[in-house]
Amino acid sequence: MSKVLISDSMSKVVQKIFEKNKISIDVKIGLPEEEIIKIISEYDGMVVRSATKVTKNIILAAKKLKVIGRAGAGIDNIDVATAKENNMIVMNTPGGNSNATAEHAFALIMSLLRRIPFANETTHKGQWEKKNIKGTELSKKTLGIVGFGNVGVRLSNLVKGFDMNILVNSKSLESRKKYYPHVKNVSFDELISNSDIISFHCKAAKDGKPLITKEHYKKMKPTAYIINAARGNIVDEKDLNDALNENLIAGAAIDVYSKEPAKENILFNNPKVILTPHIAASTTEASIVVAEMIANQICKFLLKGVKINTV
Ligand code: MLT
């Protein structure tokens, strides 16, 4: 009987699916790397979210491991190259949490434009800041979406009713643009110079370098906002903080960080920034969908050799 290690907390649906398929599981959450190394040789499969770092040392200690499943989209916590060199396959669940992430990006946009966190905090304190809070409307503004995969596409569809212009920067859009007549594909420079809101929904660069640098902020509208609910290293936090302090842009909303969990960060306490703790994909619905997807994919692979959503 195959055996699978579940090392991050996730919907119980995962356990039910493995049990139904007669695959034995151990749920051991929050183990440090050295503990995983001690036990990993027992397992044929492993399921993680983003907390477990599946390192080279874990992979080399995994004598039977055939598959590593990521309940989510990003695979930056898995050493995919070493896994492949050792004949393991890595799977993720693309699309499973795209709507959740796009809706969170939209919530961040609205929170920034209507100053909801500040309004909430001050009203709770009995400070009536009505005169000091003036929002900005979405209508007639330009939304720039960097990256046009599942999340970027979903965000572009969500804002359809808001009467916005939508610019996209995506290499892969050219071949499929007939499906998305509501967006215009432009260069990165054109997007940042013309957008009122810029939302990142792309992968981080392979070399880890930020996509947006000091020079870019100088080309942006001083009233522009930046949203990052993709990966922390896409936006350099120091450069962003400087750009905000120098009034090169108006504000930012950030869900992902260069170092997570973010216990210290240069953006902390900057009043122009709204911060959330990497929760864009954290909805009841999405956590069930990604759990179902990854458990079914791993069962199909371990029982029938069928490979779905391999990376
Ligand atoms: C993902 O990669 O799917 C998201 O960042 C969600 C997460 O891992 O928490």
Side-chain angles (χ1 to χ4, degrees):
M1 189 195 245
S2 297
K3 201 170 167 187
V4 170
L5 173 66
I6 299 170
S7 65
D8 285 334
S9 93
M10 60 191 78
S11 164
K12 297 246 178 319
V13 154
V14 163
Q15 301 178 33
K16 287 197 189 125
I17 293 172
F18 283 124
E19 278 156 22
K20 203 172 107 199
N21 284 281
K22 303 204 173 3
I23 289 179
S24 142
I25 50 162
D26 284 332
V27 181
K28 297 187 181 187
I29 291 160
L31 292 182
E33 183 188 27
E34 57 277 17
E35 293 301 318
I36 300 180
I37 288 171
K38 280 186 204 156
I39 59 169
I40 195 67
S41 60
E42 294 171 37
Y43 298 98
D44 304 277
M46 179 175 192
V47 190
V48 299
R49 283 194 60 204
S50 56
T52 301
K53 309 292 170 228
V54 188
T55 60
K56 183 171 190 170
N57 290 339
I58 292 178
I59 292 168
L60 294 180
K63 301 292 172 223
K64 293 203 300 183
L65 202 67
K66 298 174 195 71
V67 54
I68 303 165
R70 163 74 159 97
I75 41 151
D76 37 342
N77 56 321
I78 302 171
D79 184 342
V80 178
T82 306
K84 284 187 179 169
E85 275 161 33
N86 288 274
N87 301 318
M88 293 168 197
I89 64 160
V90 179
M91 299 172 162
N92 67 350
T93 59
N97 53 24
S98 310
N99 182 59
T101 306
E103 286 189 9
H104 190 70
F106 185 70
L108 291 174
I109 293 171
M110 292 309 290
S111 301
L112 273 171
L113 268 62
R114 305 309 296 261
R115 303 192 62 202
I116 303 293
F118 176 73
N120 173 60
E121 199 188 315
T122 48
T123 309
H124 271 287
K125 286 183 187 155
Q127 295 165 227
W128 194 250
E129 295 284 359
K130 187 173 164 78
K131 285 203 189 91
N132 292 325
I133 301 173
K134 190 156 278 159
T136 305
E137 294 183 24
L138 286 183
S139 176
K140 307 280 187 290
K141 301 292 183 313
T142 298
L143 171 65
I145 302 177
V146 183
F148 208 57
N150 292 320
V151 183
V153 168
R154 183 66 188 140
L155 179 62
S156 77
N157 286 329
L158 286 181
V159 300
K160 267 183 183 167
F162 286 86
D163 199 15
M164 299 189 80
N165 306 313
I166 308 175
L167 300 179
V168 165
N169 174 245
S170 159
K171 285 195 190 93
S172 66
L173 178 56
E174 277 315 295
S175 59
R176 53 194 172 109
K177 67 180 178 194
K178 65 172 184 222
Y179 303 111
Y180 307 106
H182 60 298
V183 308
K184 185 176 172 205
N185 200 12
V186 296
S187 69
F188 186 67
D189 269 28
E190 213 177 317
L191 183 142
I192 56 155
S193 320
N194 292 296
S195 298
D196 299 290
I197 301 150
I198 296 156
S199 198
F200 287 92
H201 297 291
C202 52
K203 289 191 182 124
K206 285 214 169 82
D207 58 10
K209 287 207 179 119
L211 295 189
I212 181 156
T213 63
K214 278 207 149 135
E215 291 312 304
H216 290 122
Y217 290 111
K218 291 182 190 153
K219 297 180 189 163
M220 288 167 63
K221 298 184 184 182
T223 48
Y225 294 96
I226 281 203
I227 315 291
N228 187 11
R231 279 297 176 265
N233 48 359
I234 290 173
V235 177
D236 181 275
E237 289 150 352
K238 183 175 178 313
D239 286 353
L240 172 61
N241 201 48
D242 289 347
L244 291 162
N245 292 340
E246 290 163 26
N247 297 318
L248 297 178
I249 60 168
I254 302 291
D255 185 56
V256 287
Y257 302 84
S258 53
K259 188 159 185 259
E260 296 185 11
K263 302 279 183 198
E264 278 175 19
N265 193 288
I266 194 165
L267 296 170
F268 285 1
N269 298 314
N270 187 325
K272 292 183 178 170
V273 188
I274 295 173
L275 303 175
T276 53
H278 201 152
I279 52 165
S282 299
T283 62
T284 309
E285 295 85 349
S287 55
I288 293 171
V289 173
V290 295
E292 273 173 358
M293 284 175 77
I294 204 65
N296 282 320
Q297 288 171 206
I298 291 185
C299 289
K300 283 203 175 108
F301 178 67
L302 288 177
L303 300 174
K304 296 180 185 156
V306 178
K307 295 180 189 173
I308 303 166
N309 292 329
T310 53
V311 297

